[in-house]
Amino acid sequence: MATEYSGGGDPARSLALLWRSRQRGGRRGRSDLDADRIVATAIELADAEGIAALSMRRVAERLGVGTMSLYTYVPGKAELLDAMLDAVYGETALSEADGGWRGRLERIARENWALYHRHPWMLQVATGRAVLGPNVIAKYDYELGAVAGLGLSEVEMDSMLSLVLGHVEGAARRSVEAAQTEQRTGVSDEQWWHAHAPLLNQIMDPARFPTAARVGSAAGEAHGSAQDPGHAFEFGLQRILDGIDAFVRARRAE
């Protein structure tokens, strides 16, 4: 569940920060700050401790300055969060990939998968209200290029990209949650199932749930757990690309 929401700041001040249209000169010495340094420090904090740890006070502590000094460059936490998202979106490569549209979409999916794992806190931010920063827009423009020239309408292009990115986000969420669960409990999924499976086998009647028993057993043996987020990501991505391929072929046949 999201703990923060993008687009919650003052629109004018948020856009000014995102596009650095009102950048002020920094102070000298230890307090020589600018928006880029503050945003980078906030990202480091969120990477290390999660989005729940993010506050203007904590960022100031990491920088070794007073909290109020941050407000010279960043209007507030909401605007800072938008700037953080825009900054990390700028990490994705904006270059062409081989393999036609399918190869480009695969690369985009893997870039976003890696991005979520570098910055798991992104999954705790609801981004329904878009961050309209330069990196976000550049990323969107680049990723739309993967499905350009396929004979799709503009709405279909956006929908195709949203389909792929939605799958990546969901798969990455399960992957990150699994890793965090193991880290916080000290018990791997394989160890957990090893302890619970004998007890479950004593109370569950395979004759009553034949399909669940057969499929669950096969999946557990294959994955060493009830699920494998990496497998789910790869399997789902290929099936989505197959579906897009069928859609494009049908459209061209019209």
Side-chain angles (χ1 to χ4, degrees), residues 123-175:
L123 296 167
Q124 296 177 284
V125 182
T127 56
R129 295 180 177 177
V131 178
L132 302 177
N135 290 323
V136 168
I137 295 175
K139 179 177 181 289
Y140 180 57
D141 187 76
Y142 156 69
E143 292 176 341
L144 284 172
V147 292
L150 298 182
L152 304 176
S153 70
E154 285 79 5
V155 173
E156 288 169 342
M157 289 170 63
D158 178 79
S159 297
M160 292 297 184
L161 181 59
S162 295
L163 177 63
V164 172
L165 296 183
H167 167 66
V168 175
E169 181 179 352
R173 187 182 306 280
R174 290 189 292 274
S175 177

Side-chain angles (χ1 to χ4, degrees), residues 99-110:
W101 68 264
R102 186 166 185 138
R104 292 193 293 272
L105 278 180
E106 278 201 52
R107 176 169 178 168
I108 287 167
R110 299 188 197 289

Side-chain angles (χ1 to χ4, degrees), residues 170-189:
R173 187 182 306 280
R174 290 189 292 274
S175 177
V176 167
E177 287 175 350
Q180 291 177 340
T181 298
E182 180 172 346
Q183 180 182 18
R184 292 170 184 174
T185 64
V187 178
S188 69
D189 278 355

